[in-house]
Amino acid sequence: MAKKLKEVDVVIVGLGWTGGILSKELTDAGLKVVALERGGNRTTQDDYALPGVRDELRYVVRHDLMQNTARDTLTVRNNISQEALPMRRLGSFLPGEVVGGSGVHWSGHTWRWTDMELKVRSMYEERYGKKYIPADMTIQDWGVSYAELEPYYEKFERAAAVSGKAGNLRGQIQEGGNPFEAPRQNEYALPPLTKIHASEMFNAAAKNLGYHPFPRPSANASRPYTNQYGAQFGACEYCGYCQRFGCEANAKGSPHVAIIPAVMKSANFELRAHSWVTRVIKDKSGKRVTGVLYINVLTGEEFEQPANMVILTAFALNNVHIMLTSGIGQPYDPKTGKGVIGKNYCYQTGTSATLFFEGKHFNPFMNAGGSNDTIDDFNTNWDFDRSKFGYIGGANISGGFNTNLPIGYRPVPRGTPQWGREWKAATAKWYQAAMKIDASGAVMANRYNYLDLDPTYRNAFGQPLMRMTFDYKENEHKMGQHAAQVINDIAKSMNPTHFTPAVARTDPWTVVPYQSTHNTGGTIMGVNPKSSAVNRYLQSWDCHNLFVVGANVFAHNSSYNPTGPVGALAYWTADAIRNQYLKNPGQLVHA
Amino acid sequence: MKDKPEGLNRRAFLKSAVAGGAAAAATAATVVLPQSAQAQAPAQATPPASPGYAFLNPEEAAFVEAMVNHMVPADALTPNGVDLGLNIYIDRALAGAWGKGDRMYMQGPWKQGVPSQGYQLPLTPAELYRNGIAAANIQCIKTYGKPFDKVTDAQREEFLRALRDGKVVFENGPPARAFFNTAYQTVMEGMFGDPIYGGNRDKAGWKLIGFPGVIAVHSQDVVKFRDKAYPNNPVGIADMS
């Protein structure tokens, strides 16, 4: 029997970026907030300090900051005819499990997704006609516009110390920025990072071919910085240990630096680490939630935490899992297309080429999380005519480095043996002399890609694992083929000594190796309770005092990293709660 | 070697251990073997005395030593795998939490599935290694008449390639390729991971490629060493502790 605790105003489930933002905004509004985080509380000075943090084996290979799959994992399959089996260890994606969440170990790439994504169905239908969108592609508009989100994007970029160069200031195209981005009111919080040699070479080659390269906007402070919460950031050290690591310099926009310390100062706030929420409790009417059940993983004790409002701010996949185990909203069924929880799960695709330049010294160990230069000519550029290639969405293509440590990164030209003297000599020769050009590609929602509860396998708490059914479809294959061609043309124009070309991926999605932690969808936002789980304010259509915040609300996935809109939507939701919901608790949207 | 008492002669000991079975093998853990006595120490490195094996039994140790020395032979670029401590890295990794299946979901039912579903064996990495070595030696003896550590260099090369390419089938054993992939991964981890884990001795793996290791700050270097060679003096965690 769970021990029932004293009621609070708000319970926050998961304390990463979104949990931090909601906690700050709602304690500021005078509400009593309890945050339940399944991971432990680690700090920069104790846990991310030199020299221990510079350990590729511990953090990259052994996943020290990540979710422990012995306790909870997913089952995976490519299609509904297969039997899903458990992901027995992490691979393709790496959810964080610590105070700060995946915001501790991310690289910091922060994008503003534009109306091209937020109004995806209406814009493609208008430009290319209804028939251009395949019948099984379940893309839909998100119910929010870029203009509405713009101030919240900016607020997040300032909180996270994003360095970059504006490409479009209030409609004026800016030299050196991304000319295809949507208009910004203001410049980035900080100027761009120092370019590394590989990015310079990519930039020059891309320009030469008529493309529009720009520095990738990243939450790596290019100089010392203090954000709106008084959090002090050091300047990025270009240490080369960014992705998968906590930042020793406090230069990365991580919640445990940027916002959580400010929340912790509030008398209205309490953090309970090591607290694993198993489900949200509904009242008898089914229209309200009354709190959550959680387990203290240090003692095994179960608690009921009553609350006036519940806000799910865990990793996207875990938010969906909690919704499914709580029985809130109708689970999605791919056969009928009915139901909403688990719908439109999306991922990302990609391809890359490796270029070898004899005699170059790229020093691949010196870089920031966002040292790449990027082109958006085949991504956010709406003028790019997709009909020539027959796909929807796009790929952003970049050159440079981001965390290439030697257990995992030792490029050698094709045909080199995998061991022995010849392998060693080639490894020694090419490690410094190779660079990469990568594409990150969008994944459109598909009727048969979804999340539900597994019928067989259970987690350490006796709950069904979540089952992921996912594969790439023809749209992704076509996009990958085009992206590979663009990459290879750029690469050839650079005259490398050797070159391993990019190849479009057309094989099934696989749970190994690592690909991307940009898992989206499952409780998507929208304008209609029949086709979405939450409304435009991320409020559950079923239970008005439940909000579900994170990339799980994305109606599809773009080629961009998700954290920009994740942060912006968290502020947008907080604003709606503070200025609308608290005054008149109930459904904010009547559909 | 002449000065060494018979009891500390490794080959002799291993032979008797194998012949003597469990009782002899059980004493292996208590015997300390100076690494430097068996391997040609390169001029620049002084390998410490071997601390012995925490997981590998003598047959397994012989297999691992032969494998790491074959994959990483001594030449002008680096000492051999044993002198780099790769066998020690592997032994410690298998004896430790990772080897025992830390962070692995180990609940059944166990099904093979399709390759895109990833690792589905009911074996921890240590169990995979142990059973993989035993099965590999059986195959080696069948093919070449000798266990892996006793075959010629050319046979070893042929056998490792066959393992990698899935051309070897272990009877009643784990999939040969799964064993190879884990074994290969651990060799690379030992060679390029931090020396605190027992491999990459004297940071020779990092020196091979010019990786600086536990560097603190590159904010100036990123400009200063743009397309220029960075000094090759790697630093490990222990050097800064």
Side-chain angles (χ1 to χ4, degrees):
Chain A
M1 188 68 191
K3 184 178 170 189
K4 195 164 178 174
L5 303 170
K6 198 166 159 261
E7 189 178 57
V8 295
D9 295 324
V10 182
V11 65
I12 298 274
V13 179
L15 191 61
W17 259 122
T18 54
I21 289 168
L22 268 300
S23 296
K24 181 73 181 97
E25 292 281 325
L26 299 184
T27 50
D28 282 355
L31 299 176
K32 292 265 182 213
V33 174
V34 165
L36 303 172
E37 162 59 43
R38 43 168 78 170
N41 192 7
R42 300 198 208 181
T43 62
T44 302
Q45 65 268 28
D46 291 335
D47 301 291
Y48 310 135
L50 284 174
V53 75
R54 304 277 199 257
D55 186 343
E56 183 186 7
L57 189 75
R58 175 175 173 183
Y59 290 102
V60 180
V61 182
R62 304 271 189 260
H63 304 141
D64 196 73
L65 291 172
M66 314 305 177
Q67 181 169 313
N68 182 348
T69 43
R71 196 141 61 186
D72 193 30
T73 182
L74 298 100
T75 63
V76 295
R77 59 180 181 174
N78 290 124
N79 56 64
I80 55 172
S81 69
Q82 287 176 348
E83 182 175 7
L85 295 178
M87 176 174 78
R88 295 192 177 276
R89 45 164 77 113
L90 291 176
S92 183
F93 47 87
L94 301 170
E97 189 174 296
V98 63
V99 169
S102 302
V104 173
H105 77 260
W106 71 319
S107 294
H109 305 166
T110 306
W111 301 97
R112 294 181 172 199
W113 297 28
T114 68
D115 283 337
M116 202 183 98
E117 313 299 344
L118 305 173
K119 299 179 181 176
V120 63
R121 182 163 283 272
S122 39
M123 283 182 68
Y124 276 89
E125 281 186 357
E126 190 188 343
R127 168 142 189 202
Y128 298 101
K130 283 192 176 182
K131 284 189 181 154
Y132 188 69
I133 302 172
D136 63 351
M137 188 185 281
T138 49
I139 51 172
Q140 59 191 54
D141 291 1
W142 296 28
V144 68
S145 69
Y146 174 81
E148 286 174 311
L149 288 185
E150 202 280 338
Y152 304 97
Y153 276 127
E154 179 166 331
K155 200 167 177 184
F156 178 67
E157 288 166 2
R158 296 195 178 277
V162 177
S163 301
K165 175 76 192 87
N168 182 339
L169 270 181
R170 292 171 228 110
Q172 299 296 310
I173 301 303
Q174 307 292 309
E175 184 67 30
N178 179 6
F180 306 115
E181 74 174 350
R184 312 166 51 88
Q185 286 303 305
N186 293 296
E187 257 294 356
Y188 281 95
L190 288 153
L193 294 153
T194 306
K195 271 196 212 319
I196 56 173
H197 189 50
S199 310
E200 287 180 326
M201 285 175 60
F202 172 80
N203 185 300
K207 237 179 226 164
N208 201 34
L209 291 174
Y211 303 138
H212 301 82
F214 60 93
R216 172 170 286 240
S218 278
N220 315 134
S222 56
R223 55 179 69 160
Y225 173 72
T226 304
N227 76 2
Q228 63 265 48
Y229 305 115
Q232 297 192 325
F233 292 74
C236 176
E237 295 175 335
Y238 300 83
C239 69
Y241 292 78
C242 196
Q243 189 180 174
R244 320 282 173 88
F245 297 88
C247 180
E248 183 261 339
N250 282 344
K252 176 157 51 171
S254 290
H256 75 284
V257 176
I259 193 163
I260 292 169
V263 185
M264 297 292 272
K265 284 185 194 147
S266 169
N268 288 335
F269 181 76
E270 185 192 344
L271 162 64
R272 291 184 209 143
H274 304 289
S275 299
W276 188 293
V277 173
T278 51
R279 65 184 176 89
V280 181
I281 308 163
K282 282 188 291 191
D283 75 1
K284 280 186 189 135
S285 74
K287 290 183 177 158
R288 247 187 123 257
V289 297
T290 60
V292 300
L293 275 181
Y294 75 93
I295 292 162
N296 176 342
V297 296
L298 301 180
T299 64
E301 258 185 301
E302 191 179 32
F303 296 93
E304 179 182 339
Q305 176 60 66
N308 252 323
M309 288 178 70
V310 174
I311 305 182
L312 299 183
T313 51
F315 184 72
L317 293 169
N318 297 329
N319 279 342
V320 181
H321 190 216
I322 293 171
M323 290 293 277
L324 288 166
T325 59
S326 307
I328 299 171
Q330 190 186 343
Y332 173 74
D333 181 350
K335 289 184 182 128
T336 61
K338 296 209 168 98
V340 290
I341 309 297
K343 180 181 166 177
N344 283 16
Y345 169 70
C346 289
Y347 197 47
Q348 279 175 335
T349 185
T351 179
S352 74
T354 308
L355 290 69
F356 300 87
F357 295 91
E358 190 151 13
K360 278 272 176 210
H361 296 278
F362 286 115
N363 295 320
F365 41 81
M366 287 180 199
N367 47 65
S371 290
N372 333 54
D373 263 33
T374 297
I375 59 167
D376 251 352
D377 295 70
F378 304 106
N379 184 35
T380 303
N381 177 12
W382 186 243
D383 288 339
F384 157 54
D385 184 359
R386 273 106 176 140
S387 67
K388 285 184 195 158
F389 302 92
Y391 64 79
I392 287 171
N396 77 69
I397 293 168
S398 54
F401 296 102
N402 163 21
T403 312
N404 287 304
L405 298 167
I407 294 174
Y409 176 81
R410 286 168 278 101
V412 286
R414 282 181 293 177
T416 304
Q418 276 179 284
W419 59 79
R421 285 186 181 83
E422 207 185 315
W423 162 74
K424 251 201 294 181
T427 302
K429 177 170 181 180
W430 295 112
Y431 174 72
Q432 301 275 7
M435 65 167 277
K436 287 176 86 174
I437 304 178
D438 299 287
S440 164
V443 167
M444 293 300 120
N446 184 278
R447 177 174 179 163
Y448 297 103
N449 288 336
Y450 73 110
L451 304 166
D452 66 350
L453 291 178
D454 189 85
T456 307
Y457 293 93
R458 298 195 165 250
N459 69 12
F461 308 99
Q463 296 186 294
L465 299 185
M466 192 157 69
R467 174 168 67 179
M468 176 183 284
T469 305
F470 177 78
D471 207 353
Y472 299 111
K473 310 296 181 191
E474 198 186 351
N475 192 68
E476 286 79 55
H477 299 166
K478 285 180 184 166
M479 181 194 304
Q481 277 152 9
H482 181 220
Q485 192 197 322
V486 173
I487 288 177
N488 294 337
D489 287 347
I490 297 172
K492 279 181 220 154
S493 79
M494 295 167 76
N495 293 316
T497 319
H498 299 283
F499 154 52
T500 307
V503 179
R505 63 172 307 170
T506 50
D507 48 343
W509 170 70
T510 149
V511 76
V512 280
Y514 181 75
Q515 287 145 71
S516 153
T517 307
H518 306 156
N519 315 78
T520 65
T523 65
I524 63 173
M525 62 191 294
V527 295
N528 183 333
K530 286 208 171 78
S531 59
S532 57
V534 297
N535 66 25
R536 70 196 298 259
Y537 301 112
L538 281 51
Q539 180 184 34
S540 161
W541 286 112
D542 293 270
C543 302
H544 67 77
N545 60 341
L546 172 66
F547 290 78
V548 192
V549 187
N552 42 279
V553 305
F554 292 11
H556 71 282
N557 209 344
S558 85
S559 80
Y560 281 157
N561 308 58
T563 314
V566 164
L569 285 167
Y571 279 116
W572 159 259
T573 297
D575 204 315
I577 293 171
R578 290 180 68 164
N579 296 312
Q580 299 180 57
Y581 184 79
L582 292 179
K583 287 173 190 157
N584 186 15
Q587 283 295 340
L588 296 174
V589 178
H590 294 280
Chain B
M1 294 294 262
K2 259 184 195 165
D3 301 337
K4 284 166 60 70
E6 185 63 26
L8 289 184
N9 181 307
R10 181 126 205 282
R11 277 290 159 205
F13 174 78
L14 286 184
K15 263 188 218 157
S16 71
V18 172
T27 61
T30 61
V31 179
V32 175
L33 302 158
Q35 195 78 49
S36 53
Q38 311 149 35
Q40 187 89 37
Q44 77 274 24
T46 316
S50 165
Y53 288 109
F55 175 81
L56 300 169
N57 71 23
E59 181 199 353
E60 293 158 358
F63 183 100
V64 167
E65 289 171 12
M67 175 179 72
V68 301
N69 281 342
H70 183 87
M71 286 190 172
V72 185
D75 58 17
L77 294 172
T78 71
N80 71 24
V82 165
D83 288 342
L84 277 165
L86 305 189
N87 52 325
I88 299 302
Y89 168 78
I90 289 169
D91 178 65
R92 300 302 188 266
L94 294 172
W98 175 77
K100 291 187 163 60
D102 184 42
R103 291 177 165 265
M104 281 180 80
Y105 182 83
M106 292 297 279
Q107 295 179 44
W110 300 92
K111 299 188 179 180
Q112 204 180 329
V114 292
S116 65
Q117 291 172 309
Y119 187 85
Q120 293 296 338
L121 297 172
L123 300 172
T124 64
E127 290 165 342
L128 175 63
Y129 234 101
R130 173 148 288 164
N131 290 287
I133 289 174
N137 270 339
I138 289 170
Q139 285 302 314
C140 253
I141 291 165
K142 254 188 201 166
T143 315
Y144 307 112
K146 286 173 187 172
F148 181 75
D149 65 300
K150 302 280 193 334
V151 299
T152 67
D153 219 40
Q155 288 169 334
R156 213 169 274 156
E157 178 70 17
E158 183 181 72
F159 188 71
L160 285 173
R161 286 182 186 214
L163 277 182
R164 177 193 65 189
D165 299 336
K167 288 179 183 159
V168 174
V169 177
F170 292 162
E171 286 164 29
N172 299 319
R177 219 170 183 167
F179 165 64
F180 175 83
N181 288 341
T182 298
Y184 183 77
Q185 174 201 331
T186 53
V187 172
M188 295 302 139
E189 287 169 4
M191 181 142 175
F192 297 105
D194 194 279
I196 57 170
Y197 296 103
N200 193 10
R201 196 172 285 159
D202 293 319
K203 293 152 278 189
W206 289 351
K207 284 174 191 163
L208 170 71
I209 57 176
F211 177 71
V214 184
I215 205 71
V217 181
H218 277 316
S219 335
Q220 305 301 313
D221 298 341
V222 74
V223 176
K224 197 170 154 193
F225 291 97
R226 183 170 283 159
D227 199 19
K228 290 197 181 87
Y230 187 77
N232 193 354
N233 304 306
V235 174
I237 288 172
D239 301 324
M240 284 184 72
S241 298

